Amino acid sequence: MWELTADDVEHLALGAALMGSGGGGSTRSARSLLRHQLERSGPIPVVSLTELAPGSYAIPVGLVGSVTVFEEKPLNGGEFARAVAAAQRYRGVECAAVLGFEAAGVNALLAAAAAAALGLPLVDADGMGRAFPELEQTTFFLNGAPLTPVVVADEKGAVLVIDGVDGFAAERLTRSAVVTVGGWGLIALAPQRAELLARTAIPRSISRALDVGRLLSARNQPRLLHDYGGRLLFTGKVVDVERSTGPRFARGSAVLEDAERLMRLEFQNENLLLLEEGRVLASVPDLICLVAREQVRPLTTEEIRFGLEADVLTLPGAPQWRTPRGLGLVGPRAFGYDVDYAAPGRTG
Amino acid sequence: MWELTADDVEHLALGAALMGSGGGGSTRSARSLLRHQLERSGPIPVVSLTELAPGSYAIPVGLVGSVTVFEEKPLNGGEFARAVAAAQRYRGVECAAVLGFEAAGVNALLAAAAAAALGLPLVDADGMGRAFPELEQTTFFLNGAPLTPVVVADEKGAVLVIDGVDGFAAERLTRSAVVTVGGWGLIALAPQRAELLARTAIPRSISRALDVGRLLSARNQPRLLHDYGGRLLFTGKVVDVERSTGPRFARGSAVLEDAERLMRLEFQNENLLLLEEGRVLASVPDLICLVAREQVRPLTTEEIRFGLEADVLTLPGAPQWRTPRGLGLVGPRAFGYDVDYAAPGRTG
C-alpha cells in the first residue's frame, strides 16, 4: 500500500499519456478535477491486487466517449457516486475499492478521482495495461470475467444500466447510450470479486504510469526503456499526415523520416502499427509512443502534424495480450490490418 | 376480481384496437402470444385498483417501438420476466401484480400476456386510458408518480435500465435504447405502490376494452356509444390521404366526405383531430376512432386509404386528461397543433 497525493497528479498524467495516444492524457479538466479531489480528500491509499480482502469487490470505472466533448463539458464529480451506487444496487454487492478499466490517458486520472470521491482505495491495476478503444478489449472480458452490468452516468444525473449481453454488445450499447446522453459517460463495469480480479487484471498500472511520468519528466528515456523493456525505434520528423473519420474511430496515418529512413505510422484513436517498407516494426498490443523531442511530452494521435520531431518508442503490451486469444481481441487483425503481431524479438 | 381466459382474446384485441389507432391492436403475433400464454397458464385473475393489498407494488409494462418490426420479430415471452426481474432488483421491491401502462392496441394484450407469463394478477387499470405515443404521456407522470427506473428488455436477453431522469428524458433515452436493441423493446416502468396507483391510474381499462370488443363484435354501436359516452360524428368515405415521416411519429392527414360534408382527420400514430371547415369537432385526448363499415373493425392510421367507408366515432378521454395540466401533456398543442381542446359539449 502506498499513497497518491495531489503532488503526483502531473507525473501520473504524463505517464498515463504515454500509455494512451488516443488523447486525453494531458486533459486539463481531468488533471484539475483529480487535483481538487485529492486536495479535498487528502492522499488516497493505492493497494495492490493481493492486498484486497478475499470476498471483497472492486469496481472498474472510466470514461467512454469523446474527449473533446469532455473538455468542453467536464465531469462534476457526482458521476462516480451515481455510477457505483447503481452498480452496487443492481448487483446487490458493496464495493471496497475502485480501479480504472483503462489506467491510461484521461482514464488513469479519473480512476484516481473516483477513488478520492468515493473514499475508497485505488487498486494498482487495470484491465488494459494501456489504452484501447473498446470495452471488450479488457482482460476482464478476455478471461471470462463479467463486464455487465455496465453503468453509464452523465453529469446531469442520468444513470443507465446495460445487462444481459456479451462484451461486444455491451460495447455497442454503451457507445449508443453515451451518444444519447451527450457525448461521454462515466462508466462502471461489473464489480469484480477480489480473487477473480487478481487473476484477470493487469498489475501495477498506476505505479507504472507514475514512475514513467517521473522518468519522462526527468528526461531519463534510457532508464524508462531499460526498466520497462522498451526500445527507441526511430527519431524523425513528421512529413505527412492523413486522417479520416471511420465508423468506429478517428483513423489516420503519418509518415516520418530521418536522413536515411521512412516510417509509416497507422493509428485509430491509438497508434497501432509502425511500418518500414511494408515491414512491421511494432504493432498493437505493444505500445507505440511518439514523444515530442522539444518538450519530452507524449503526443496524442490528434496532435501529430507536419514538421513535428519525435522519438518513436515501443513498450511491450501486457503478456496476456500477446497470447493467441489476446491477439484475437486486440492484435492488428482486430483493428482490420491484414498483418500478424510483430513480436519485438523479430524486429530491430 | 374476475378472470380473463383464452376465449376473451379476440374481444379484448378488438376493443383495444378501438382505444389505439396507432397500429397493433389487431396484431397477429400479440394475439397468438396471449392465447398461448393463457392456454398454458389457465385463466388469469384481473383485479381492480382497490383490490391491491396496501403496501404492495404493481408494475406497468408494455411495448415501445415499431409494431411493424414487432410483427416480423415477435416477443419470445421471456422479456416479461427479464424486465420485471431487473426492475425489482434495481428498486429492491417485489411486485404483486402487473398492469399495462397503455391498455390499448397491442399493449393491452401484452399486459395480459405479462401477467400470464409471470403468474401475477393483471390490474384492471392503465396509465393512458387509450393509446399515446410517449411514456411521459401517462397519468403516472401527470400525477408525479415515478416513471424511472424504466427497464428495456429485448428478445435476445439484453436488459437496459434508465434512471435519474425526468419523464421527457426517460422517453428520449428509452426510444434511443429501443432503436439500438433492434426496433422494439418490452418496457417496465417503475413499480408503483398500490395506494399511489389507486390515485394515479385510470381504472377499468381492461374490462372496458373487453366490453367494447364484445359490443363491436355484436355490431351494437348504439349501446357502445351510450355506455361509454361516445358519439357518432360522421359516416363517410376516405377521398384523400397524405403521409409524412416526422422526426417523432408517422404523421398524416386524411379527408373524408359524404354527400354533404367534408371532414379532415389529422393523425400522428394516433388520430388526433377531426376538423370541419377549420372547426374542431373532436380532438385528443378524446378518442377519435375510424370503424370500417364493412367489417365493423377499428382501422389503424396505417390502414386508412382511399375509398374506405368508415364511421368516425369519438369517446371521451379520461377525466384526468381533460384538466389544464392533462391537456398540457396530451392536448392538441402537445402534438404541435395550434388549436384548443374541443370539449364535447361545444360541438355537435
Side-chain angles (χ1 to χ4, degrees):
Chain A
M1 207 265 274
W2 52 279
E3 286 190 331
L4 186 79
T5 74
D7 293 339
D8 295 324
V9 172
E10 292 305 318
H11 287 146
L12 181 63
L14 198 59
L18 197 79
M19 303 300 152
S21 42
S26 58
T27 177
R28 233 177 276 279
S29 65
R31 288 198 327 259
S32 110
L33 177 73
L34 177 57
R35 205 176 304 105
H36 287 132
Q37 292 276 26
L38 288 172
E39 281 162 3
R40 203 179 314 153
S41 67
I44 54 164
V46 183
V47 299
S48 69
L49 285 165
T50 53
E51 286 171 314
L52 289 171
S56 70
Y57 285 85
I59 187 160
V61 300
L63 190 84
V64 164
S66 159
V67 173
T68 313
V69 176
F70 174 73
E71 279 296 278
E72 288 163 10
K73 184 190 75 166
L75 288 160
N76 60 33
E79 302 83 353
F80 302 120
R82 285 196 294 275
V84 171
Q88 293 186 142
R89 188 147 69 134
Y90 189 85
R91 280 281 285 109
V93 302
E94 283 282 309
C95 295
V98 173
L99 73 158
F101 57 74
E102 172 186 57
V106 64
N107 273 336
L109 307 184
L110 292 182
L118 294 163
L120 294 175
L122 176 66
V123 186
D124 192 3
D126 79 328
M128 294 182 173
R130 49 163 293 164
F132 283 122
E134 302 201 330
L135 290 180
E136 83 281 3
Q137 294 170 322
T138 51
T139 54
F140 314 130
F141 183 67
L142 177 70
N143 292 290
L147 278 193
T148 59
V150 175
V151 180
V152 181
D154 79 356
E155 83 289 2
K156 294 184 295 291
V159 170
L160 310 177
V161 183
I162 295 160
D163 196 19
V165 292
D166 71 13
F168 297 98
E171 160 64 28
R172 194 168 53 85
L173 291 168
T174 302
R175 199 68 49 176
S176 159
V178 159
V179 169
T180 310
V181 297
W184 60 259
L186 194 283
I187 307 295
L189 303 182
Q192 309 284 315
R193 225 180 136 85
E195 300 89 319
L196 183 60
L197 193 66
R199 296 203 308 271
T200 61
I202 295 169
R204 299 205 66 246
S205 314
I206 300 295
S207 43
R208 183 175 74 149
L210 187 56
D211 189 41
V212 163
R214 285 185 183 131
L215 292 169
L216 277 174
S217 176
R219 298 180 173 251
N220 197 343
Q221 196 182 91
R223 172 84 185 277
L224 192 165
L225 295 175
H226 174 268
D227 287 2
Y228 294 97
R231 286 177 305 133
L232 175 63
L233 294 171
F234 187 71
T235 298
K237 188 190 267 195
V238 177
V239 294
D240 193 25
V241 193
E242 279 177 28
R243 295 175 204 275
S244 63
T245 307
R248 288 160 81 206
F249 313 118
R251 193 175 176 132
S253 63
V255 178
L256 293 97
E257 66 169 28
D258 65 6
E260 293 163 17
R261 301 161 76 193
L262 215 61
M263 298 278 163
R264 182 177 191 83
L265 176 73
E266 293 282 344
F267 54 86
Q268 291 179 43
N269 289 18
E270 302 293 318
N271 299 324
L272 297 176
L273 285 183
L274 189 74
L275 301 143
E276 182 179 19
E277 294 175 11
R279 192 168 64 103
V280 179
L281 291 195
S283 80
V284 69
D286 293 341
L287 276 164
I288 300 169
C289 318
L290 265 62
V291 180
R293 283 196 68 79
E294 205 177 335
Q295 305 159 287
V296 197
R297 191 175 66 81
L299 293 167
T300 66
T301 52
E302 285 169 21
E303 290 174 313
I304 299 172
R305 60 173 193 277
F306 182 86
L308 274 176
E309 291 194 62
D311 289 335
V312 185
L313 318 181
T314 184
L315 294 174
Q320 297 195 38
W321 290 132
R322 291 183 272 122
T323 61
R325 285 192 52 238
L327 292 172
L329 266 184
V330 300
R333 291 182 199 282
F335 292 91
Y337 301 108
D338 192 21
V339 299
D340 289 323
Y341 166 62
R346 279 199 268 142
T347 64
Chain B
M1 206 264 274
W2 51 279
E3 286 190 332
L4 185 78
T5 73
D7 293 338
D8 295 323
V9 172
E10 292 306 317
H11 286 145
L12 181 63
L14 198 59
L18 197 78
M19 303 300 152
S21 43
S26 58
T27 177
R28 234 178 275 279
S29 65
R31 288 198 327 259
S32 107
L33 177 74
L34 176 57
R35 206 178 301 106
H36 288 132
Q37 292 274 25
L38 288 172
E39 281 162 3
R40 204 179 313 152
S41 67
I44 54 163
V46 183
V47 299
S48 69
L49 285 164
T50 53
E51 287 172 314
L52 289 171
S56 70
Y57 285 85
I59 187 161
V61 301
L63 189 85
V64 164
S66 160
V67 173
T68 314
V69 175
F70 174 73
E71 279 296 279
E72 288 163 11
K73 183 188 77 165
L75 288 158
N76 60 34
E79 302 83 354
F80 302 120
R82 286 195 294 276
V84 172
Q88 293 186 142
R89 188 147 69 136
Y90 188 84
R91 279 283 285 109
V93 301
E94 284 281 309
C95 294
V98 172
L99 72 158
F101 56 74
E102 172 187 58
V106 63
N107 273 335
L109 307 184
L110 292 181
L118 294 162
L120 293 175
L122 176 66
V123 186
D124 193 3
D126 78 328
M128 295 182 173
R130 49 162 294 163
F132 283 122
E134 302 201 330
L135 290 179
E136 83 281 4
Q137 294 170 323
T138 51
T139 54
F140 314 130
F141 183 67
L142 176 69
N143 291 291
L147 278 192
T148 58
V150 175
V151 180
V152 180
D154 79 355
E155 82 290 1
K156 296 185 294 291
V159 170
L160 310 177
V161 183
I162 295 159
D163 197 19
V165 292
D166 71 14
F168 298 98
E171 160 65 28
R172 195 170 51 85
L173 291 168
T174 301
R175 200 68 48 176
S176 160
V178 159
V179 170
T180 310
V181 299
W184 60 259
L186 195 281
I187 307 296
L189 303 183
Q192 309 283 315
R193 223 179 138 85
E195 299 89 320
L196 184 58
L197 193 66
R199 295 202 309 271
T200 62
I202 296 169
R204 300 205 67 245
S205 313
I206 301 295
S207 43
R208 182 175 74 149
L210 187 56
D211 188 41
V212 163
R214 285 184 183 134
L215 293 170
L216 277 175
S217 176
R219 298 180 172 249
N220 197 343
Q221 199 183 88
R223 170 85 185 275
L224 193 165
L225 295 175
H226 174 268
D227 288 2
Y228 294 97
R231 287 178 304 133
L232 174 63
L233 295 172
F234 187 72
T235 298
K237 188 190 264 193
V238 177
V239 293
D240 194 26
V241 194
E242 278 178 28
R243 294 175 204 276
S244 63
T245 307
R248 289 160 82 205
F249 312 118
R251 194 175 174 132
S253 63
V255 178
L256 292 97
E257 66 168 28
D258 65 6
E260 293 162 19
R261 302 161 75 195
L262 215 61
M263 298 277 163
R264 182 176 190 84
L265 176 73
E266 293 283 343
F267 54 86
Q268 292 179 44
N269 290 20
E270 302 293 318
N271 299 324
L272 297 177
L273 286 184
L274 188 75
L275 302 144
E276 182 179 18
E277 293 175 13
R279 191 169 64 103
V280 179
L281 292 195
S283 81
V284 70
D286 292 342
L287 276 164
I288 300 168
C289 317
L290 265 60
V291 180
R293 283 196 67 80
E294 205 178 336
Q295 305 159 287
V296 197
R297 191 174 66 80
L299 292 167
T300 67
T301 53
E302 286 169 21
E303 290 175 312
I304 299 172
R305 61 174 193 279
F306 182 85
L308 273 176
E309 290 193 63
D311 288 334
V312 184
L313 319 181
T314 184
L315 295 174
Q320 297 195 37
W321 291 132
R322 291 182 275 123
T323 62
R325 286 192 52 238
L327 292 172
L329 266 184
V330 300
R333 291 181 199 283
F335 293 91
Y337 302 107
D338 192 20
V339 298
D340 288 322
Y341 166 61
R346 279 199 268 141
T347 63

